[in-house]
Amino acid sequence: MYTDICKLFHIQYPIFQGAMAWISDSSLVSAVSEAGGLGVLATGHLDGEQCRAEIRRIRENTDKPFAVNIMLLSPKTEELVQVVCEEHVPVVTTGAGNPGRFMPAFREAGVKVVPVIPSVALAKRMEKEGADAVIAEGCESGGHVGKTTTMALVPQVVDAVNIPVLAAGGIADGRGMAAARMLGASGVQIGTRFLVSRECTVHQNYKDRILKARDIDTVTTGQSTGHPVRVLKNALTREYERLEREGASAEQIEELGRGRLRMAVVDGNTDQGSVMSGQIAGMVTKEQTAGEIIEEIMKEYTELMSAPCV
Ligand code: TUI
């Protein structure tokens, strides 16, 4: 239960909450950290000062460690990095790109860096550039995804680097966590299950779509743009399919996606909005507090790890 991840990040359980743009705000982050995991603030939709305000709200709610995620496609990346360093945030996770150029600034500010990576090559590069750990994220995840599954990616990354590896993508319970441990991961990152937690402020319509989803209800859109995104099927994904079938340009397809995540998360328009979700949504069937989710996962995990083989 207590792994090198717990020691490195001063947390009770080796569970990171996946950063979800517009969704993982100070409310969810402080609840996950307070429950013994590592809450991770999403900043893909924030500017530097909004990020600073959220960091301060987290610190009002908990004195436990937390992380800030920097989505490297954000036009505000530079100012977000600056704020994270000024605020001496304990941990940064990064996504959707290579954080190499910011590593010296993070190191100088004493910020631990954990890049999310979709490949062995990138994991090796991150280790060389001074990452403290990596999150190997399989394409079962929600949102922007790589090409390799968690099952195939995690052991290959574990073999390739000497820093701790967390597994992400398709994990939502103690069985997934035990499987990740068997693949050599020291911890897990969980997004979709925390999305339906009571402390998550996402629109109830979004939660309801996750709670009702089946195993086959996600699809990746935007394959042709080089930024495939896993979402629940709806009118928007049918429109993506039509555009891609008709050979629309990458610009036209990117344009279709503009503002769609906000539409789903804030306005609750789950038909026209982008309802990002992992493939595990079919198994996420109840709303609980973040604390209950973590307790349940750890109970299942410890029971499995101590059970005799059958
Ligand atoms: O970043 C994520 N998931 C996300 S970001 C996001 S917001 C968004 N919306 C529309 C289009 C694109 C993004 C929603 N979900 N997960 C971590 C992740 N990182 N997945 C894949 C990667 C990744 C991809 C390429 C990491 C590094 C990378 O490097 C390429 C390079 O620059 O060498």
mmCIF file of all heavy atoms in Angstrom, residues 19-21 44 69 71-73 94-99 116-118 122 125 137 141-146 189 227-229 254 261 276, ligand 1:
data_model
loop_
_atom_site.group_PDB
_atom_site.id
_atom_site.type_symbol
_atom_site.label_atom_id
_atom_site.label_comp_id
_atom_site.label_asym_id
_atom_site.label_seq_id
_atom_site.Cartn_x
_atom_site.Cartn_y
_atom_site.Cartn_z
ATOM 1 N N ALA A 19 -6.093 15.063 -13.884
ATOM 2 C CA ALA A 19 -6.507 16.449 -14.126
ATOM 3 C C ALA A 19 -7.463 16.477 -15.314
ATOM 4 O O ALA A 19 -7.170 15.894 -16.351
ATOM 5 C CB ALA A 19 -5.296 17.307 -14.436
ATOM 6 N N MET A 20 -8.601 17.131 -15.144
ATOM 7 C CA MET A 20 -9.597 17.222 -16.217
ATOM 8 C C MET A 20 -9.965 18.691 -16.381
ATOM 9 O O MET A 20 -10.504 19.304 -15.449
ATOM 10 C CB MET A 20 -10.830 16.381 -15.845
ATOM 11 C CG MET A 20 -10.486 14.902 -15.645
ATOM 12 S SD MET A 20 -11.779 13.922 -14.838
ATOM 13 C CE MET A 20 -11.523 14.284 -13.112
ATOM 14 N N ALA A 21 -9.617 19.267 -17.562
ATOM 15 C CA ALA A 21 -9.828 20.701 -17.801
ATOM 16 C C ALA A 21 -11.284 21.083 -17.538
ATOM 17 O O ALA A 21 -12.195 20.335 -17.913
ATOM 18 C CB ALA A 21 -9.435 21.071 -19.229
ATOM 19 N N GLY A 44 -5.966 23.897 -17.854
ATOM 20 C CA GLY A 44 -6.105 24.070 -19.305
ATOM 21 C C GLY A 44 -7.032 25.222 -19.677
ATOM 22 O O GLY A 44 -6.946 25.770 -20.766
ATOM 23 N N ASN A 69 -1.653 20.553 -12.767
ATOM 24 C CA ASN A 69 -1.365 20.017 -14.100
ATOM 25 C C ASN A 69 -1.230 21.159 -15.096
ATOM 26 O O ASN A 69 -2.052 22.069 -15.123
ATOM 27 C CB ASN A 69 -2.487 19.072 -14.555
ATOM 28 C CG ASN A 69 -2.290 18.590 -15.981
ATOM 29 O OD1 ASN A 69 -2.856 19.131 -16.922
ATOM 30 N ND2 ASN A 69 -1.458 17.587 -16.136
ATOM 31 N N MET A 71 -1.289 21.727 -19.011
ATOM 32 C CA MET A 71 -1.594 21.137 -20.311
ATOM 33 C C MET A 71 -0.817 21.977 -21.329
ATOM 34 O O MET A 71 -1.111 23.159 -21.516
ATOM 35 C CB MET A 71 -3.106 21.225 -20.531
ATOM 36 C CG MET A 71 -3.666 20.255 -21.516
ATOM 37 S SD MET A 71 -3.457 20.816 -23.188
ATOM 38 C CE MET A 71 -4.775 22.006 -23.289
ATOM 39 N N LEU A 72 0.183 21.362 -21.942
ATOM 40 C CA LEU A 72 1.181 22.149 -22.685
ATOM 41 C C LEU A 72 0.678 22.712 -24.013
ATOM 42 O O LEU A 72 1.391 23.480 -24.663
ATOM 43 C CB LEU A 72 2.457 21.320 -22.857
ATOM 44 C CG LEU A 72 3.160 21.027 -21.512
ATOM 45 C CD1 LEU A 72 4.097 19.831 -21.616
ATOM 46 C CD2 LEU A 72 3.914 22.242 -21.006
ATOM 47 N N LEU A 73 -0.564 22.398 -24.394
ATOM 48 C CA LEU A 73 -1.154 23.039 -25.577
ATOM 49 C C LEU A 73 -1.803 24.371 -25.193
ATOM 50 O O LEU A 73 -2.248 25.131 -26.062
ATOM 51 C CB LEU A 73 -2.222 22.132 -26.204
ATOM 52 C CG LEU A 73 -1.753 20.848 -26.909
ATOM 53 C CD1 LEU A 73 -2.954 20.005 -27.315
ATOM 54 C CD2 LEU A 73 -0.917 21.185 -28.136
ATOM 55 N N THR A 94 2.335 17.180 -16.141
ATOM 56 C CA THR A 94 2.167 17.861 -17.433
ATOM 57 C C THR A 94 1.464 16.920 -18.401
ATOM 58 O O THR A 94 1.515 15.696 -18.224
ATOM 59 C CB THR A 94 3.517 18.283 -18.046
ATOM 60 O OG1 THR A 94 4.273 17.116 -18.356
ATOM 61 C CG2 THR A 94 4.288 19.186 -17.116
ATOM 62 N N GLY A 95 0.834 17.490 -19.424
ATOM 63 C CA GLY A 95 0.153 16.682 -20.426
ATOM 64 C C GLY A 95 0.222 17.330 -21.788
ATOM 65 O O GLY A 95 0.494 18.535 -21.908
ATOM 66 N N ALA A 96 -0.006 16.519 -22.817
ATOM 67 C CA ALA A 96 -0.146 16.986 -24.195
ATOM 68 C C ALA A 96 1.107 17.655 -24.744
ATOM 69 O O ALA A 96 1.013 18.564 -25.567
ATOM 70 C CB ALA A 96 -1.366 17.903 -24.312
ATOM 71 N N GLY A 97 2.272 17.217 -24.286
ATOM 72 C CA GLY A 97 3.510 17.771 -24.832
ATOM 73 C C GLY A 97 4.711 17.463 -23.960
ATOM 74 O O GLY A 97 4.587 16.783 -22.941
ATOM 75 N N ASN A 98 5.858 18.003 -24.382
ATOM 76 C CA ASN A 98 7.129 17.764 -23.697
ATOM 77 C C ASN A 98 7.485 18.972 -22.814
ATOM 78 O O ASN A 98 7.713 20.061 -23.335
ATOM 79 C CB ASN A 98 8.205 17.540 -24.777
ATOM 80 C CG ASN A 98 9.567 17.312 -24.188
ATOM 81 O OD1 ASN A 98 9.764 17.458 -22.981
ATOM 82 N ND2 ASN A 98 10.503 16.943 -25.035
ATOM 83 N N PRO A 99 7.534 18.789 -21.498
ATOM 84 C CA PRO A 99 7.790 19.914 -20.593
ATOM 85 C C PRO A 99 9.274 20.252 -20.437
ATOM 86 O O PRO A 99 9.629 21.089 -19.600
ATOM 87 C CB PRO A 99 7.242 19.404 -19.251
ATOM 88 C CG PRO A 99 7.475 17.924 -19.307
ATOM 89 C CD PRO A 99 7.333 17.512 -20.751
ATOM 90 N N VAL A 116 2.977 13.306 -17.879
ATOM 91 C CA VAL A 116 2.150 12.222 -18.428
ATOM 92 C C VAL A 116 2.723 11.909 -19.799
ATOM 93 O O VAL A 116 2.957 12.826 -20.606
ATOM 94 C CB VAL A 116 0.667 12.636 -18.545
ATOM 95 C CG1 VAL A 116 -0.154 11.530 -19.196
ATOM 96 C CG2 VAL A 116 0.099 12.971 -17.170
ATOM 97 N N ILE A 117 2.973 10.622 -20.056
ATOM 98 C CA ILE A 117 3.607 10.250 -21.328
ATOM 99 C C ILE A 117 2.843 9.075 -21.974
ATOM 100 O O ILE A 117 2.340 8.199 -21.282
ATOM 101 C CB ILE A 117 5.105 9.896 -21.134
ATOM 102 C CG1 ILE A 117 5.291 8.919 -19.964
ATOM 103 C CG2 ILE A 117 5.924 11.146 -20.885
ATOM 104 C CD1 ILE A 117 5.252 7.505 -20.300
ATOM 105 N N PRO A 118 2.768 9.099 -23.321
ATOM 106 C CA PRO A 118 2.051 8.022 -24.015
ATOM 107 C C PRO A 118 2.994 7.003 -24.673
ATOM 108 O O PRO A 118 2.534 6.135 -25.409
ATOM 109 C CB PRO A 118 1.278 8.796 -25.098
ATOM 110 C CG PRO A 118 2.168 9.964 -25.415
ATOM 111 C CD PRO A 118 3.023 10.251 -24.226
ATOM 112 N N LEU A 122 9.288 8.857 -24.933
ATOM 113 C CA LEU A 122 9.087 10.084 -24.168
ATOM 114 C C LEU A 122 9.400 9.879 -22.688
ATOM 115 O O LEU A 122 9.933 10.780 -22.024
ATOM 116 C CB LEU A 122 7.652 10.575 -24.365
ATOM 117 C CG LEU A 122 7.461 12.078 -24.357
ATOM 118 C CD1 LEU A 122 8.269 12.776 -25.430
ATOM 119 C CD2 LEU A 122 5.999 12.430 -24.514
ATOM 120 N N ARG A 125 13.115 10.107 -22.280
ATOM 121 C CA ARG A 125 13.554 11.496 -22.429
ATOM 122 C C ARG A 125 13.245 12.295 -21.161
ATOM 123 O O ARG A 125 14.056 13.089 -20.690
ATOM 124 C CB ARG A 125 12.831 12.096 -23.628
ATOM 125 C CG ARG A 125 13.530 13.280 -24.181
ATOM 126 C CD ARG A 125 13.238 13.407 -25.651
ATOM 127 N NE ARG A 125 13.079 14.807 -25.956
ATOM 128 C CZ ARG A 125 12.383 15.272 -26.958
ATOM 129 N NH1 ARG A 125 11.757 14.433 -27.781
ATOM 130 N NH2 ARG A 125 12.308 16.552 -27.193
ATOM 131 N N GLU A 137 0.232 6.781 -19.574
ATOM 132 C CA GLU A 137 -1.218 6.879 -19.798
ATOM 133 C C GLU A 137 -1.628 6.131 -21.055
ATOM 134 O O GLU A 137 -1.229 6.494 -22.171
ATOM 135 C CB GLU A 137 -1.627 8.352 -19.901
ATOM 136 C CG GLU A 137 -3.129 8.540 -19.931
ATOM 137 C CD GLU A 137 -3.530 9.994 -20.162
ATOM 138 O OE1 GLU A 137 -3.663 10.724 -19.177
ATOM 139 O OE2 GLU A 137 -3.710 10.382 -21.328
ATOM 140 N N SER A 141 -7.872 6.087 -21.560
ATOM 141 C CA SER A 141 -8.179 7.326 -20.815
ATOM 142 C C SER A 141 -9.173 8.203 -21.546
ATOM 143 O O SER A 141 -9.322 8.101 -22.767
ATOM 144 C CB SER A 141 -6.912 8.162 -20.661
ATOM 145 O OG SER A 141 -5.935 7.441 -19.997
ATOM 146 N N GLY A 142 -9.765 9.109 -20.790
ATOM 147 C CA GLY A 142 -10.589 10.145 -21.398
ATOM 148 C C GLY A 142 -9.713 11.298 -21.865
ATOM 149 O O GLY A 142 -8.567 11.434 -21.439
ATOM 150 N N GLY A 143 -10.253 12.125 -22.747
ATOM 151 C CA GLY A 143 -9.535 13.307 -23.225
ATOM 152 C C GLY A 143 -8.493 12.962 -24.266
ATOM 153 O O GLY A 143 -8.629 11.989 -25.017
ATOM 154 N N HIS A 144 -7.447 13.783 -24.289
ATOM 155 C CA HIS A 144 -6.380 13.665 -25.304
ATOM 156 C C HIS A 144 -5.586 12.390 -25.031
ATOM 157 O O HIS A 144 -5.058 12.224 -23.937
ATOM 158 C CB HIS A 144 -5.495 14.909 -25.189
ATOM 159 C CG HIS A 144 -4.323 14.924 -26.094
ATOM 160 N ND1 HIS A 144 -4.412 14.620 -27.427
ATOM 161 C CD2 HIS A 144 -3.022 15.204 -25.858
ATOM 162 C CE1 HIS A 144 -3.209 14.728 -27.972
ATOM 163 N NE2 HIS A 144 -2.354 15.074 -27.045
ATOM 164 N N VAL A 145 -5.511 11.500 -26.000
ATOM 165 C CA VAL A 145 -4.889 10.181 -25.762
ATOM 166 C C VAL A 145 -3.821 9.846 -26.791
ATOM 167 O O VAL A 145 -3.826 10.335 -27.924
ATOM 168 C CB VAL A 145 -5.949 9.044 -25.774
ATOM 169 C CG1 VAL A 145 -6.780 9.066 -24.505
ATOM 170 C CG2 VAL A 145 -6.834 9.093 -27.009
ATOM 171 N N GLY A 146 -2.911 8.948 -26.354
ATOM 172 C CA GLY A 146 -1.927 8.381 -27.266
ATOM 173 C C GLY A 146 -2.502 7.158 -27.970
ATOM 174 O O GLY A 146 -3.721 7.031 -28.092
ATOM 175 N N GLN A 189 -3.217 6.724 -11.596
ATOM 176 C CA GLN A 189 -3.939 7.990 -11.759
ATOM 177 C C GLN A 189 -5.344 7.643 -12.226
ATOM 178 O O GLN A 189 -5.519 6.870 -13.168
ATOM 179 C CB GLN A 189 -3.244 8.890 -12.767
ATOM 180 C CG GLN A 189 -4.027 10.179 -13.005
ATOM 181 C CD GLN A 189 -3.309 11.142 -13.914
ATOM 182 O OE1 GLN A 189 -2.465 11.895 -13.494
ATOM 183 N NE2 GLN A 189 -3.666 11.096 -15.189
ATOM 184 N N HIS A 227 -4.571 15.240 -32.688
ATOM 185 C CA HIS A 227 -4.918 15.372 -31.272
ATOM 186 C C HIS A 227 -6.195 14.595 -30.984
ATOM 187 O O HIS A 227 -7.241 15.188 -30.726
ATOM 188 C CB HIS A 227 -5.126 16.847 -30.870
ATOM 189 C CG HIS A 227 -3.907 17.690 -30.993
ATOM 190 N ND1 HIS A 227 -3.893 18.936 -31.572
ATOM 191 C CD2 HIS A 227 -2.637 17.462 -30.608
ATOM 192 C CE1 HIS A 227 -2.675 19.426 -31.539
ATOM 193 N NE2 HIS A 227 -1.895 18.550 -30.966
ATOM 194 N N PRO A 228 -6.113 13.264 -31.044
ATOM 195 C CA PRO A 228 -7.322 12.484 -30.786
ATOM 196 C C PRO A 228 -7.793 12.644 -29.341
ATOM 197 O O PRO A 228 -6.981 12.715 -28.428
ATOM 198 C CB PRO A 228 -6.876 11.039 -31.053
ATOM 199 C CG PRO A 228 -5.399 11.041 -30.947
ATOM 200 C CD PRO A 228 -4.938 12.425 -31.284
ATOM 201 N N VAL A 229 -9.109 12.736 -29.171
ATOM 202 C CA VAL A 229 -9.708 12.987 -27.858
ATOM 203 C C VAL A 229 -10.811 11.958 -27.607
ATOM 204 O O VAL A 229 -11.719 11.816 -28.432
ATOM 205 C CB VAL A 229 -10.286 14.431 -27.813
ATOM 206 C CG1 VAL A 229 -11.018 14.689 -26.508
ATOM 207 C CG2 VAL A 229 -9.171 15.471 -27.970
ATOM 208 N N GLU A 254 -10.705 21.039 -36.018
ATOM 209 C CA GLU A 254 -10.324 21.730 -34.766
ATOM 210 C C GLU A 254 -11.394 22.772 -34.417
ATOM 211 O O GLU A 254 -11.767 22.936 -33.262
ATOM 212 C CB GLU A 254 -8.969 22.457 -34.935
ATOM 213 C CG GLU A 254 -7.758 21.547 -35.130
ATOM 214 C CD GLU A 254 -7.112 21.080 -33.824
ATOM 215 O OE1 GLU A 254 -7.716 21.300 -32.762
ATOM 216 O OE2 GLU A 254 -6.031 20.478 -33.905
ATOM 217 N N LEU A 261 -15.939 21.693 -24.621
ATOM 218 C CA LEU A 261 -15.790 21.101 -23.289
ATOM 219 C C LEU A 261 -16.534 21.956 -22.262
ATOM 220 O O LEU A 261 -17.266 21.442 -21.424
ATOM 221 C CB LEU A 261 -14.291 20.973 -22.939
ATOM 222 C CG LEU A 261 -13.984 20.285 -21.608
ATOM 223 C CD1 LEU A 261 -14.599 18.881 -21.554
ATOM 224 C CD2 LEU A 261 -12.475 20.193 -21.378
ATOM 225 N N MET A 276 -15.804 14.371 -22.318
ATOM 226 C CA MET A 276 -14.599 13.546 -22.221
ATOM 227 C C MET A 276 -14.785 12.495 -21.126
ATOM 228 O O MET A 276 -15.291 12.791 -20.050
ATOM 229 C CB MET A 276 -13.384 14.422 -21.936
ATOM 230 C CG MET A 276 -13.089 15.395 -23.071
ATOM 231 S SD MET A 276 -11.534 16.275 -22.825
ATOM 232 C CE MET A 276 -11.615 17.461 -24.168
HETATM 233 O O1 TUI B 1 -3.290 15.742 -21.702
HETATM 234 C C1 TUI B 1 -3.954 14.746 -21.495
HETATM 235 N N1 TUI B 1 -5.293 14.724 -21.616
HETATM 236 C C2 TUI B 1 -6.051 15.799 -22.007
HETATM 237 S S1 TUI B 1 -5.516 17.345 -22.358
HETATM 238 C C3 TUI B 1 -7.044 17.826 -22.772
HETATM 239 S S2 TUI B 1 -7.428 19.410 -23.345
HETATM 240 C C4 TUI B 1 -7.343 19.158 -25.039
HETATM 241 N N2 TUI B 1 -8.443 19.403 -25.709
HETATM 242 C C5 TUI B 1 -8.431 19.248 -27.034
HETATM 243 C C6 TUI B 1 -7.313 18.839 -27.726
HETATM 244 C C7 TUI B 1 -6.205 18.521 -27.035
HETATM 245 C C8 TUI B 1 -6.209 18.693 -25.648
HETATM 246 C C9 TUI B 1 -7.911 16.813 -22.608
HETATM 247 N N3 TUI B 1 -7.333 15.691 -22.180
HETATM 248 N N4 TUI B 1 -3.375 13.577 -21.150
HETATM 249 C C10 TUI B 1 -1.972 13.442 -21.048
HETATM 250 C C11 TUI B 1 -1.387 13.100 -22.361
HETATM 251 N N5 TUI B 1 -0.281 13.607 -22.778
HETATM 252 N N6 TUI B 1 -1.895 12.272 -23.274
HETATM 253 C C12 TUI B 1 -1.009 12.256 -24.332
HETATM 254 C C13 TUI B 1 0.013 13.106 -23.971
HETATM 255 C C14 TUI B 1 1.201 13.480 -24.682
HETATM 256 C C15 TUI B 1 1.220 13.569 -26.066
HETATM 257 C C16 TUI B 1 2.386 13.975 -26.718
HETATM 258 C C17 TUI B 1 2.345 13.780 -23.949
HETATM 259 C C18 TUI B 1 3.483 14.165 -24.602
HETATM 260 C C19 TUI B 1 3.503 14.255 -25.962
HETATM 261 O O2 TUI B 1 4.680 14.650 -26.512
HETATM 262 C C20 TUI B 1 4.782 14.977 -27.849
HETATM 263 C C21 TUI B 1 6.047 15.769 -27.981
HETATM 264 O O3 TUI B 1 5.941 16.992 -27.936
HETATM 265 O O4 TUI B 1 7.101 15.142 -28.046
#
